[in-house]
Every structure is written in structure tokens, then in C-alpha cells.
């Protein structure tokens, strides 16, 4: 068996631990399908927890489940012992343990060298544990003080320990996400809410949507295997790279980011297929006639939406969608005081949390600070575009094209840090193109204060 795995790993150019993980990861699809055949909520919770723990053991070894138990038990203890502050307690305890694991294992180095460990799964699990505790905390608050997301997801009653374990480890969904809410997990398991019998018809068939996700996964893997040999990250430190011209360096930064993204697209397409076939990915019915099922909860990435994004502001809405939603609901919105508008502080704080969640590598920190600058700069261009009167369509279009080009340039410049991780390699890559992707966003932010956008309607009234 080990010999077969060595052969398989060599055939696609990965290590044996990675091929073992991939086999277990793909197995989450049939495991999720079999969940549908398990009778009764209690048996379903047990099946969810057992299969998740078993797949973790087969993929990462026995110690992985011990690592997962720490944040799970800390979060549950906080909910039992001190409900009024269990959300914030779990947030800091969960992130504290995750940071400790990041520092101890330095997983980024292992990932770059073709290895893998349980830290990636622990990242997803940490978000699930924190959201559960925060939603249980929200159950104490008055409904009029809550945002819509809080009203929808809050927990009035403490989940049982077996419900909690089933939610955290559900059929291996903690491997790569997507992140979902405890309230949705309980409704799905018990056949309540949108999973209850509907007058729009029986439970939706997941098979066409699952097949579509699997076809997408196959295409993404093919793209990655085709592009990766000709765009290695090692070239960023090769002396030959430094001799290239400005435009060639810039285009290589784009192609490196473009190539790496197909790996993530593949992983997330498999995650999407598993959640869809289980039924948990179901998100309601469309208003069309006849109504069609929606699978938004399972959606992790919109490939075309990301690659062709018209603005940097749209990127979090189409990349790692469920984690972006988590950051918005549990960090960004909760930092905004009632009656106030969010600003750059909330954006930077959210991006910092995202950076720490990924790991304490300088490349991650630099990338997410860059992301905050990139989004702020894109907002300035958008505000200018909105301020242009509708009768100046060509100028308006020029600003739209400018925002698209800006997003393409700054995104792929910035993501080098996310890929190479080290401060030296990141700054060397940025410096090789004269820090253009840092200077332009900062210049736009400053210009936004010097030349503030004025709504077009006021201009039109003035002219009249």
C-alpha cells in the first residue's frame, strides 16, 4: 500500500503525506453522502463526529485529534461556565492555541516543501468553535440590539456535547471548510428550517450540483498541474529573475499568483461537492418558476468572479467566501459601534485577524496589510467613478477599467508575500518592481483626501 502511495505521489509531483491527505479529503464526498442514510438525529451526530475523527487520524495521525480537542473543549467549557463572556473568551483562547501551533509547527515551511500537517484543519475548526460560542453568547442579548446575522444564528439553548462534536468534525468538513453555523448544522440534522418538508417539493437532489463541482475540481487540478512546472516560486530568488525587465517581472508575478490559485480552486471545489452531496450545502429555493435549489452555503469561491473582479472591494466576496463572511460577522461588524460607520481601522483589524489566522509568517502579515491598502485604494477609484455624471459615460467607463487594472496589478503583486512567506523574498519581489503595488494604493488613499468625490447629482443640480 505504501509503495502504491509513493508511486501515486511521484506521478503528480507531491509528497506521500500530501497524497494521503488528498485521498482522505476526497473520501469526505462518499462519507458525506452516506450521512444521508443514517437514521435519526442522535445517530447522525455520532456518525458526523466519528467519521471526522477517523479521517483526521488517517490523514494526520492520532495527535491531530488531540490538537482538535483542545479548542473544542475550551470553547465548550467557556459556554458552560461563563456564558455572558464565552464568545470573547473562546476567541482569545482559540486564537491563542492556534498561534501556538503555528509557531511550533511552522506549517508554512512544510507546505512550501511539499509536506502537510493538521494545522490547516485546526484553522477551520477554530473559526467554528468561536462562532458557536459567540452565537451562544448572543442568545442572552435583546433581539433589538442584534444585527440580522446575529438574529439568524444565535443559540438560545446550549448544544449537547455530542451535537457540538458532530458540528465541529462533521464528516471531515473541518479539513478545508467551508465554515458554517451551528444553527444551520442542527436544523439540517433535525430536518428543520429550510430542510423541513416544503410546499415547493421534496428535498432537492444534490447530484447535478455535486457533479458540476467535481468537473470544476478536475479542471482546476489539470490547470495547476499544467502551469506549476513553468512557474516555480523559487524563481523569485533566482539571480536570472533580477535581470529581467520591469514588465516581465510584473507578468511573472501575475502568472505565479494565477498558477497557485488553481490549487486552492481544486481543494475548495472538492469541499463544495462534499457539502452539497450531504445536503448541508442547500440554502433554499429560487423565486423562479419552477423553483430551483440554491447551494450558496457550500460555495467557497467564484473563480470567474475573482479572476475578473472589477474592484478590489469585491475580492473578499468571491474568495474563500465563508471565511470572509465569518470575518465580517465576527470581527468587522462587531468592531463597529452602534450608530457609527465602519472605517479603515475596522478593515485593517479584520485583515490583521485574517493574517494571524493564516500564520505568523511575515509574508502573511505583509499580504493582509497590503490587502487593506488595496481595498481602500479601490474604494477611492470607485467613489470617483460614482461622482462622474451619467452623461459622461466614456469617462465613467475609463474609471471602471482603471479599477479593474488596478485590482489585477495590486492583487498579484501583493499575493507574492502569501506564497513565499519570508520577509526577505517578499520584499525582494516587491522591490524588483519598485514597490509599485504599495505606492499606488497609498497614493490613491492620499488623493482621496485631497480630491474627495462629490456625488454626481449635486453637480447636476449646480449646473442647472
Amino acid at each position: 500500500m505504501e509503495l502504491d502511495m509513493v508511486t501515486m505521489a511521484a506521478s503528480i509531483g507531491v509528497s506521500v503525506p500530501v497524497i494521503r491527505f488528498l485521498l482522505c479529503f476526497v473520501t469526505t464526498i462518499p462519507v458525506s453522502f452516506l450521512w444521508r442514510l443514517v437514521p435519526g438525529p442522535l445517530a447522525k451526530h455520532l456518525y458526523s463526529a466519528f467519521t471526522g475523527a477517523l479521517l483526521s487520524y488517517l490523514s494526520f495521525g492520532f495527535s491531530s485529534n488531540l490538537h482538535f480537542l483542545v479548542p473544542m473543549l475550551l470553547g465548550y467549557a467557556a459556554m458552560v461556565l461563563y456564558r455572558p463572556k464565552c464568545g470573547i473568551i473562546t476567541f482569545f483562547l482559540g486564537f491563542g492555541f492556534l498561534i501556538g501551533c503555528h509557531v511550533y509547527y511552522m506549517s508554512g515551511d512544510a507546505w512550501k516543501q511539499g509536506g502537510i500537517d493538521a494545522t490547516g484543519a485546526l484553522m477551520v475548526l477554530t473559526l467554528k468553535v468561536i462562532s458557536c460560542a459567540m452565537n451562544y453568547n448572543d442568545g442572552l442579548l435583546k433581539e433589538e440590539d442584534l444585527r440580522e446575522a446575529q438574529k439568524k444564528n444565535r443559540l438560545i439553548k446550549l448544544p449537547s456535547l455530542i451535537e457540538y462534536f458532530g458540528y465541529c468534525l462533521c464528516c471531515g468538513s473541518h479539513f478545508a471548510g467551508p465554515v458554517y453555523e451551528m444553527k444551520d448544522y442542527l436544523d439540517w440534522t433535525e430536518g428543520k428550517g429550510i430542510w423541513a418538508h416544503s410546499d415547493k417539493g421534496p428535498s432537492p437532489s444534490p447530484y447535478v450540483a455535486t457533479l458540476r463541482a467535481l468537473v470544476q475540481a478536475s479542471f482546476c487540478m489539470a490547470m495547476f498541474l499544467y502551469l506549476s512546472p513553468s512557474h516555480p516560486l523559487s524563481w523569485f530568488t533566482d539571480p536570472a529573475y533580477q535581470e529581467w525587465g520591469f514588465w516581465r517581472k510584473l507578468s511573472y508575478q501575475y502568472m505565479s499568483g494565477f498558477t497557485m490559485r488553481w490549487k486552492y480552486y481544486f481543494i475548495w471545489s472538492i469541499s463544495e461537492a462534499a457539502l452539497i452531496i450531504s445536503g448541508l450545502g442547500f440554502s433554499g429555493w429560487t423565486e423562479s418558476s419552477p423553483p430551483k435549489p440554491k447551494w450558496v452555503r457550500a460555495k467557497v469561491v467564484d473563480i470567474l468572479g475573482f479572476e475578473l473582479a472589477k474592484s478590489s472591494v469585491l475580492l473578499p466576496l468571491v474568495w474563500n467566501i465563508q471565511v470572509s463572511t465569518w470575518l465580517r460577522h465576527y470581527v468587522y461588524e462587531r468592531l463597529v459601534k452602534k450608530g457609527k460607520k465602519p472605517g479603515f481601522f475596522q478593515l485593517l483589524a479584520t485583515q490583521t485577524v485574517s493574517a494571524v489566522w493564516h500564520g505568523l509568517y511575515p509574508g502573511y502579515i505583509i499580504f493582509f496589510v497590503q490587502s487593506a491598502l488595496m481595498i481602500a485604494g479601490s474604494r477611492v477609484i470607485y467613489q470617483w467613478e460614482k461622482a462622474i455624471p451619467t452623461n459622461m459615460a466614456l469617462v465613467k467607463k475609463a474609471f471602471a477599467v482603471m479599477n479593474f487594472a488596478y485590482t489585477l496589478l495590486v492583487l498579484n503583486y501583493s499575493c507574492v508575500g502569501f506564497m513565499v512567506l519570508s520577509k526577505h523574498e517578499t520584499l525582494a519581489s516587491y522591490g524588483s518592481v519598485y514597490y509599485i503595488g504599495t505606492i499606488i494604493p497609498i497614493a490613491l488613499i492620499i488623493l482621496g483626501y485631497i480630491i474627495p468625490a462629490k456625488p454626481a447629482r449635486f453637480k447636476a443640480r449646480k449646473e442647472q
Side-chain angles (χ1 to χ4, degrees):
M1 179 65 179
E2 187 67 27
L3 185 62
D4 290 340
M5 293 187 74
V6 170
T7 306
M8 289 173 64
S11 66
I12 59 172
V14 298
S15 64
V16 171
V18 170
I19 201 71
R20 188 184 295 117
F21 164 77
L22 288 174
L23 289 172
C24 291
F25 185 51
V26 171
T27 303
T28 60
I29 298 174
V31 166
S32 298
F33 169 74
L34 291 174
W35 180 94
R36 304 171 73 94
L37 308 179
V38 178
L42 178 60
K44 287 181 184 294
H45 292 310
L46 289 168
Y47 176 82
S48 296
F50 174 75
T51 54
L54 178 62
L55 287 169
S56 297
Y57 166 72
L58 293 174
S59 183
F60 307 117
F62 179 73
S63 63
S64 64
N65 286 314
L66 296 179
H67 283 83
F68 298 155
L69 271 176
V70 174
M72 288 164 62
L73 293 178
L74 287 173
Y76 200 79
M79 290 191 288
V80 171
L81 299 174
Y82 195 48
R83 185 177 183 180
K85 297 291 182 183
C86 64
I88 195 70
I89 291 170
T90 304
F91 185 95
F92 283 107
L93 289 177
F95 265 97
F97 182 73
L98 178 62
I99 290 167
C101 289
H102 276 315
V103 171
Y104 183 78
Y105 290 105
M106 297 302 284
S107 302
D109 290 334
W111 296 342
K112 282 175 69 178
Q113 294 164 11
I116 197 165
D117 60 32
T119 314
L122 182 64
M123 289 164 61
V124 175
L125 192 68
T126 300
L127 300 189
K128 293 171 80 172
V129 167
I130 290 170
S131 65
C132 181
M134 285 194 165
N135 289 324
Y136 186 56
N137 197 157
D138 288 343
L140 289 176
L141 305 178
K142 295 178 181 178
E143 194 165 333
E144 57 265 26
D145 295 332
L146 300 176
R147 295 182 176 84
E148 287 305 312
Q150 291 175 287
K151 292 176 186 177
K152 177 179 176 293
N153 297 321
R154 71 177 182 156
L155 299 169
I156 305 300
K157 177 186 170 187
L158 178 69
S160 70
L161 201 56
I162 188 58
E163 289 172 338
Y164 181 71
F165 273 55
Y167 157 74
C168 289
L169 300 174
C170 183
C171 304
S173 60
H174 61 298
F175 276 12
V179 178
Y180 48 82
E181 303 290 351
M182 170 62 94
K183 180 75 163 50
D184 292 330
Y185 169 79
L186 292 175
D187 284 351
W188 166 63
T189 306
E190 297 167 10
K192 296 178 180 177
I194 60 172
W195 289 277
H197 183 76
S198 168
D199 55 4
K200 294 188 177 182
S203 299
S205 170
Y207 304 116
V208 173
T210 301
L211 182 61
R212 188 184 302 119
L214 289 174
V215 170
Q216 178 175 288
S218 302
F219 177 77
C220 293
M221 176 54 82
M223 285 291 290
F224 178 70
L225 293 176
Y226 174 73
L227 291 169
S228 56
S230 53
H231 300 94
L233 297 179
S234 57
W235 281 14
F236 285 115
T237 53
D238 193 304
Y241 170 81
Q242 300 302 326
E243 296 176 6
W244 291 353
F246 173 80
W247 292 108
R248 188 178 178 188
K249 289 175 184 173
L250 213 56
S251 64
Y252 190 77
Q253 288 182 358
Y254 167 77
M255 284 306 301
S256 295
F258 181 71
T259 299
M260 190 60 66
R261 287 194 288 274
W262 290 105
K263 179 174 70 174
Y264 290 97
Y265 295 154
F266 163 74
I267 291 290
W268 288 334
S269 297
I270 295 294
S271 295
E272 185 177 337
L275 209 68
I276 289 172
I277 204 165
S278 71
L280 179 53
F282 177 59
S283 309
W285 300 89
T286 64
E287 296 299 323
S288 60
S289 183
K292 297 177 182 178
K294 296 185 291 186
W295 304 98
V296 178
R297 197 185 328 280
K299 193 78 173 172
V300 187
V301 66
D302 177 353
I303 297 174
L304 288 178
F306 189 84
E307 295 297 337
L308 302 175
K310 296 177 181 178
S311 164
S312 303
V313 179
L314 301 175
L315 295 176
L317 305 178
V318 289
W319 172 269
N320 209 351
I321 296 168
Q322 307 307 331
V323 170
S324 295
T325 301
W326 188 97
L327 288 167
R328 185 170 72 250
H329 289 165
Y330 298 102
V331 182
Y332 187 78
E333 290 179 351
R334 291 173 189 254
L335 289 174
V336 181
K337 293 181 180 178
K338 195 171 183 180
K340 301 286 185 179
K341 288 185 177 181
F344 185 70
F345 166 75
Q346 284 79 13
L347 176 61
L348 184 60
T350 304
Q351 294 299 86
T352 303
V353 170
S354 184
V356 171
W357 179 69
H358 281 85
L360 295 182
Y361 284 89
Y364 287 142
I365 306 295
I366 294 169
F367 169 76
F368 284 104
V369 171
Q370 272 285 139
S371 298
L373 293 173
M374 175 179 69
I375 292 170
S378 187
R379 282 177 176 163
V380 172
I381 299 174
Y382 177 69
Q383 292 298 329
W384 286 343
E385 181 190 341
K386 274 198 345 182
I388 298 167
T390 51
N391 60 350
M392 298 176 66
L394 197 60
V395 178
K396 214 172 181 67
K397 187 72 175 175
F399 271 91
V401 172
M402 183 196 302
N403 210 346
F404 171 76
Y406 163 87
T407 298
L408 204 64
L409 168 70
V410 181
L411 169 67
N412 291 287
Y413 162 93
S414 302
C415 76
V416 174
F418 192 93
M419 297 185 293
V420 301
L421 301 182
S422 79
K423 183 179 78 171
H424 170 72
E425 290 177 89
T426 301
L427 296 181
S429 170
Y430 289 2
S432 71
V433 290
Y434 310 109
Y435 297 97
I436 187 171
T438 304
I439 293 170
I440 292 177
I442 292 173
L444 283 170
I445 294 168
I446 294 169
L447 283 172
Y449 286 105
I450 297 172
I451 315 171
K454 295 178 180 178
R457 62 177 178 273
F458 294 140
K459 288 184 180 180
R461 284 178 187 170
K462 195 173 180 181
E463 288 169 3
Q464 288 172 4

